[in-house]
Amino acid sequence: MQWEAMTSTELGDAARKTDVCVVSIASMEKHGEHLPLGSDYLFGHTCACLAAEKEPAVVFPPFWLGQVNPARAYPGAIGLPPLLLLELIQSLFDEIGRNGFGKIIVFPSHGGNGAMQNFLVEASLWEEKPYCLYLMRGWITPDRREAWNRTLDTSEFGHACEAETSHVLAVHPDLVKMDRIPSRPAFALKRLRHLPQSNVGVSFVADYPDFWIGEPKAATAEKGEAMMQLIADSLAEFIAAVKADQVVPDLTREFYEKVKHPLAARQQEETAQPVRRWSS
């Protein structure tokens, strides 16, 4: 069920029936010279829709504003000031919740959003909401990792690589320009090797200045379709688990009660502690 394709009445009915909305947060940025700027949302939204066909849920329209600061040195990237972006996404969640969804799943379509999404989940505890946020960590479940690895023929990937090029070939082959992929592979330059265990703003461009990774020439639409099914199946399982979950809502309500009355909560915990008996 796609949010934008339903009538107002249909959306209200879907919210009451499923209680779950999936939001794919992507980006608009350079993907080498061979993939479209919107690669992340084109593929991510398709996977979310496939998963929602397997396990009914409402899928929000493609949200293509993400954390793309390292890509702003290249034409086509669209970013927002960090605080504005955080406020925008938080407001989006609030509006989805206001429309009757008690559970919102954040599906990660863009790797650069990782830290931001984790922060948004933590920040959701700042004030009480009528919904709970669930961030899916990664695209596939651990039991599908071997099948995923068998699909790929190269070892270094992560952006405009064999995997991502295969993804776009599967959903929009007309937008992929395989003839523009350089003959040489793009392996990490490791220009920050003198700073072990560090993360800085230019970490990605230090390794991959052309904004593509590995050997995308190995990509095929068949590989993309296989990986897309693995992702859709994993997300469908996650949707089902979120639907059935009552622990997170219960713990969240309990948390806010303690926030409102911290001293009472502390006294209650002390009273509930078993009496310690000492023997000589």
Side-chain angles (χ1 to χ4, degrees), residues 147-176:
W148 178 281
N149 291 340
R150 285 199 305 268
T151 304
L152 299 171
D153 294 315
T154 59
S155 58
E156 193 161 349
F157 53 89
H159 184 79
C161 54
E162 177 195 3
E164 194 162 22
T165 303
S166 295
H167 298 167
V168 185
L169 281 171
V171 294
H172 281 284
D174 54 309
L175 300 181
V176 181

Side-chain angles (χ1 to χ4, degrees), residues 18-20 22 51 54-57 103-105 132 134-136 141 233-249:
T18 70
D19 201 33
V20 175
V22 181
K54 297 171 182 287
E55 182 62 47
K103 297 175 178 179
I104 300 173
I105 292 176
C132 293
Y134 296 78
L135 171 61
M136 184 177 178
T141 53
D233 289 342
S234 297
L235 178 54
E237 287 181 7
F238 190 71
I239 293 171
V242 168
K243 279 184 179 179
D245 173 56
Q246 286 303 317
V247 176
V248 171

Side-chain angles (χ1 to χ4, degrees), residues 7-26:
T7 66
S8 177
T9 299
E10 288 170 342
L11 181 70
D13 292 342
R16 285 187 288 272
K17 184 177 180 180
T18 70
D19 201 33
V20 175
C21 182
V22 181
V23 183
S24 175
I25 301 181

Side-chain angles (χ1 to χ4, degrees), residues 203-214:
S203 286
F204 187 83
V205 295
D207 278 339
Y208 308 103
D210 296 321
F211 253 65
W212 63 283
I213 294 176

Side-chain angles (χ1 to χ4, degrees), residues 20 38 61 63 70 74 78 83 96 101 105 113 162 168 171 182 192 197-198 217 227 229 232 239 259 262 268:
V20 175
F63 188 84
Y74 307 89
I78 299 293
L83 294 181
I96 293 173
F101 294 92
I105 292 176
N113 287 335
E162 177 195 3
V168 185
V171 294
L192 299 181
Q197 297 180 303
S198 69
K217 279 187 176 294
M227 287 184 280
Q229 288 303 320
I239 293 171
V259 169
Q268 195 173 42

Side-chain angles (χ1 to χ4, degrees), residues 65-124:
L65 282 167
Q67 191 291 112
V68 295
N69 289 327
R72 291 178 67 234
Y74 307 89
I78 299 293
L80 291 177
L83 294 181
L84 176 59
L85 180 60
L86 288 169
E87 187 174 356
L88 174 63
I89 297 176
Q90 181 63 71
S91 297
L92 170 62
F93 293 156
D94 290 349
E95 280 294 281
I96 293 173
R98 185 184 63 78
N99 274 277
F101 294 92
K103 297 175 178 179
I104 300 173
I105 292 176
V106 180
F107 176 62
S109 294
H110 167 52
N113 287 335
M116 178 185 71
Q117 290 167 163
N118 284 321
F119 176 74
L120 284 166
V121 170
E122 296 289 341
S124 69

